[in-house]
Amino acid sequence: MKYINQSYFAQMSKFVLAVTSVAIFSPISSASAALGFSTTIAQISDNSTNQLLLVDKKVETMNRTQLNSNKVSAKGKKTGFSLAIWQPANTFSEVIARVSVKSKSHNNYLQERFVGDYKYKIKQKVKFVKGLKASDRIVVRLYDIQNRFIGYSEFECLSANTTVNLILSAKPNEYQVVRTVYGLDADQDGTIDTNATTYDYFTQIRKQGVIFLSSSQTFQGSQFQVEGLSTIAKTSVYPLSFTQGDYALVRQSFVNAFSSDLADVLQANPGSLVQVMEVSDNSSYDTSQMLMNYRQISMSRTLQVGFSDVSVNYWAKNFITKLATMEILEGFPDGTFRPDAPVTRAQFAAMLRKAFAKGKIRQAIAFKDVSNRYWAYNAISEVYQMGFLNTAVGKDFNPSQKLSRLDVLVALAQRLNYQTTGSTDTILSVYSDANTIRPEYRSLIAALTQHGIVVNYPNVNLLNAEQVATRSEVSALIYQALSSTGKVANISSQYVVGQQQVAAEDSMERIKPRRHCNQGIGNGAEGCDPGNSHPHGGSNDEGGRTPGKK
């Protein structure tokens, strides 16, 4: 087995392997009654009134202060977690933690994605930052140095930083039980905040499966006691989503830890496909960047991320691939993506619904031209309530109307609610066609420009606001909007307005107001195709393609 330090990770983006899969839970009946277990379900999740833990509830109540999460500078407000591994018996010196994430998307979880293999010394703590949100589930599979599977845990990201402790038994190779203790640590002092709920439960390996135990009464719990952590309770304390809904884990007789649908990298021995990273004390990893670098080896076999009409050198390839990986977009049954096809208001609503999990800021409207049987009815209703798209005329939505780049940009700007710092005219001067931007939209486009959301292809200085937005352009804009909130890793592109200066100065994380973009709905991430688009194809369903057609 080979081990590497953090510097190796930068090279991983070159590692391509077309294998994929998704973790699913076996629909097995309850066994807790037979085992005589009892469970305590946490009714409060943490100090935040807007913490989202119920998997069967829509993500509707996200705190509005998180809308500009990239601007939150107060310590501890960004979602992430620190992971420490303990073994009170002191019979183990090192362990390998395989970390993966199942991102929450409305009522579902996206496919499990590999975040890396990490060689820990017992008592070490590692931080994982960026690219996570409340209610995402983190999966940790534990191995000894001989690559024997010795433990499994899952926990749920909370509304701010989460501190997580995994405690191994005295003899992990024989007694394969893991205690999980975690809670909100908003001030990032390494301890669970006062008055925050402490989740405390046990998982036990049985062959290739895992049982989430409801009680510690069936084994000697004292061997899992760590100084500074809460005393072991008789009944386990779980987040609500672990006990209720379609994705509950407790009371199942068996949760498959190695489903055949998992990506090969999640089934292979540590070190066989990807080198193990040896961590140091207080190491920190950018989760969004790691997901980006590992995306080629952690795709589901059922998930299409490569398209016959999107070449390796295509200007928007990285944006399209990343959104396809995140299940925000998908291609057509014939294996194409149709990057130059126009985007309708209904299609855009479907994309936004999958990309953003924002709270609702206004009441739903019964659009006269959108029946409850229309394929995008739910997406249109939810996105309107989120504040992304306004009515067309009266109570019509005009779902089949093609969007201009300006339409896309304005929709993003109005909901993201970014503000400019500096002169609007100065910011917009980066565009050679800035005079075509209507006065009522100039400040919105300036704000998007300053936050690095505008993408113009092939001429980065041409906004082409009134041009019909293409699938590739909308993909780029949506991705850049997500990147601006810190939800995904930055993608380097010469067509993102402002990235030219960033590359030259090599010192900026955000776009400076030198080279800015105009409103041109669709300039959100890496793409606009000003003037060179040749729209074709039909309406996309919520996955990004025409319902029932090729």
Side-chain angles (χ1 to χ4, degrees):
M1 181 188 304
K2 298 180 180 179
Y3 299 104
I4 60 174
N5 55 30
Q6 284 176 273
S7 63
Y8 170 79
F9 192 80
Q11 304 175 21
M12 288 306 302
S13 59
K14 300 179 181 179
F15 183 22
V16 178
L17 180 62
V19 292
T20 56
S21 197
V22 58
I24 56 174
F25 298 120
S26 302
I28 303 177
S29 59
S30 171
S32 62
L35 295 175
F37 291 152
S38 60
T39 304
T40 298
I41 303 172
Q43 298 300 324
I44 54 174
S45 55
D46 56 46
N47 291 335
S48 171
T49 58
N50 290 319
Q51 174 62 36
L52 305 174
L53 287 176
L54 275 173
V55 73
D56 56 348
K57 294 284 179 92
K58 293 181 179 178
V59 182
E60 298 174 349
T61 57
M62 181 176 290
N63 193 318
R64 291 185 187 179
T65 61
Q66 294 179 343
L67 294 179
N68 290 330
S69 60
N70 63 299
K71 289 190 171 184
V72 178
S73 58
K75 185 178 181 180
K77 291 299 183 182
K78 292 185 179 180
T79 299
F81 67 93
S82 60
L83 177 64
I85 300 178
W86 307 84
Q87 204 232 358
N90 226 12
T91 60
F92 254 43
S93 60
E94 295 177 319
V95 66
I96 297 172
R98 170 167 290 169
V99 180
S100 57
V101 59
K102 292 185 283 190
S103 299
K104 182 71 183 295
S105 178
H106 300 282
N107 288 337
N108 302 307
Y109 287 93
L110 301 183
Q111 299 164 356
E112 186 176 346
R113 291 179 292 161
F114 179 71
V115 176
D117 289 333
Y118 306 89
K119 183 185 177 186
Y120 273 76
K121 290 181 174 63
I122 297 301
K123 298 183 181 181
Q124 279 187 320
K125 179 183 293 185
V126 172
K127 292 182 178 180
F128 293 85
V129 299
K130 298 183 180 180
L132 298 169
K133 62 181 182 299
S135 296
D136 287 349
R137 285 188 181 179
I138 306 299
V139 179
V140 182
R141 295 173 176 85
L142 298 173
Y143 297 82
D144 66 13
I145 301 305
Q146 286 73 44
N147 286 338
R148 289 174 291 193
F149 181 46
I150 60 173
Y152 181 101
S153 181
E154 286 191 36
F155 58 89
E156 196 163 61
C157 289
L158 304 178
S159 59
N161 185 67
T162 305
T163 187
V164 184
N165 299 276
L166 302 184
I167 303 105
L168 296 169
S169 67
K171 297 181 179 180
N173 286 325
E174 303 173 14
Y175 197 60
Q176 297 172 326
V177 174
V178 174
R179 180 189 179 196
T180 302
V181 183
Y182 79 98
L184 190 70
D185 179 20
D187 57 6
Q188 299 188 40
D189 64 355
T191 61
I192 298 173
D193 293 346
T194 304
N195 299 323
T197 299
T198 296
Y199 301 103
D200 193 345
Y201 49 88
F202 291 84
T203 50
Q204 183 175 19
I205 293 176
R206 296 189 180 177
K207 296 183 178 180
Q208 294 296 294
V210 179
I211 295 176
F212 284 73
L213 303 175
S214 298
S215 170
S216 63
Q217 298 178 21
T218 59
F219 51 85
Q220 186 180 357
S222 60
Q223 64 180 303
F224 297 94
Q225 189 61 56
V226 174
E227 183 178 357
L229 297 183
S230 58
T231 302
I232 298 173
K234 291 183 178 180
T235 56
S236 297
V237 181
Y238 285 97
L240 289 176
S241 68
F242 278 40
T243 63
Q244 299 179 9
D246 294 336
Y247 297 93
L249 300 174
V250 185
R251 298 190 177 91
Q252 289 195 40
S253 61
F254 182 88
V255 173
N256 195 343
F258 294 97
S259 165
S260 60
D261 291 330
L262 281 176
D264 288 356
V265 70
L266 290 171
Q267 300 189 62
N269 286 333
S272 60
L273 294 180
V274 174
Q275 289 182 289
V276 178
M277 287 178 282
E278 189 165 359
V279 305
S280 57
D281 291 336
N282 297 315
S283 295
S284 181
Y285 295 93
D286 184 331
T287 307
S288 60
Q289 186 62 55
M290 299 165 97
L291 289 171
M292 171 73 75
N293 289 353
Y294 284 132
R295 70 183 185 275
Q296 295 295 339
I297 62 171
S298 61
M299 295 298 98
S300 166
R301 296 185 183 94
T302 62
L303 187 63
Q304 182 184 11
V305 296
F307 306 97
S308 60
D309 54 353
V310 178
S311 67
V312 173
N313 297 321
Y314 185 66
W315 72 270
K317 178 184 180 297
N318 287 338
F319 299 107
I320 293 168
T321 299
K322 182 60 178 177
L323 292 183
T325 299
M326 297 170 67
E327 301 176 54
I328 293 172
L329 300 177
E330 64 181 70
F332 293 83
D334 61 0
T336 64
F337 182 76
R338 302 178 192 175
D340 293 329
V343 176
T344 66
R345 283 168 60 85
Q347 294 163 10
F348 186 50
M351 297 175 189
L352 291 174
R353 184 196 189 196
K354 291 187 175 184
F356 295 93
K358 294 191 174 299
K360 297 179 179 179
I361 63 173
R362 58 188 178 188
Q363 296 297 316
I365 286 182
F367 294 109
K368 294 186 298 182
D369 55 350
V370 180
S371 73
N372 57 11
R373 295 183 179 181
Y374 185 63
W375 69 268
Y377 172 80
N378 289 332
I380 290 170
S381 177
E382 292 180 26
V383 166
Y384 175 79
Q385 291 177 76
M386 290 182 198
F388 276 110
L389 289 167
N390 295 323
T391 56
V393 179
K395 288 191 175 182
D396 286 339
F397 184 78
N398 287 355
S400 298
Q401 177 182 316
K402 296 175 183 178
L403 290 168
S404 70
R405 286 171 47 80
L406 178 63
D407 294 331
V408 176
L409 289 172
V410 169
L412 293 172
Q414 288 177 332
R415 185 58 179 99
L416 291 173
N417 198 29
Y418 289 149
Q419 305 298 317
T420 59
T421 56
S423 166
T424 294
D425 289 341
T426 300
I427 295 172
L428 295 180
S429 65
V430 69
Y431 305 113
S432 58
D433 56 351
N435 62 334
T436 65
I437 305 172
R438 282 180 271 171
E440 65 266 32
Y441 297 133
R442 291 180 67 84
S443 63
L444 296 178
I445 302 308
L448 292 184
T449 300
Q450 199 167 40
H451 283 80
I453 295 174
V454 181
V455 187
N456 297 328
Y457 172 86
N459 186 338
V460 72
N461 298 120
L462 272 177
L463 186 62
N464 286 322
E466 300 303 329
Q467 179 178 290
V468 172
T470 66
R471 281 167 58 80
S472 59
E473 292 172 345
V474 172
S475 299
L477 292 171
I478 289 177
Y479 189 89
Q480 286 301 104
L482 289 171
S483 178
S484 76
T485 66
K487 299 302 182 185
V488 296
N490 178 61
I491 289 178
S492 177
S493 170
Q494 69 187 86
Y495 302 111
V496 175
V497 177
Q499 277 200 6
Q500 294 82 357
Q501 287 79 5
V502 173
E505 297 170 9
D506 194 28
S507 63
M508 297 171 58
E509 291 185 282
R510 292 200 160 279
I511 308 288
K512 297 293 184 182
R514 282 186 178 179
R515 306 191 66 165
H516 313 288
C517 281
N518 264 331
Q519 63 188 42
I521 288 183
N523 300 347
E526 182 172 277
C528 291
D529 188 349
N532 289 343
S533 297
H534 303 285
H536 63 277
S539 299
N540 294 338
D541 61 11
E542 298 195 27
R545 63 173 181 244
T546 303
K549 298 180 181 179
K550 293 185 178 182

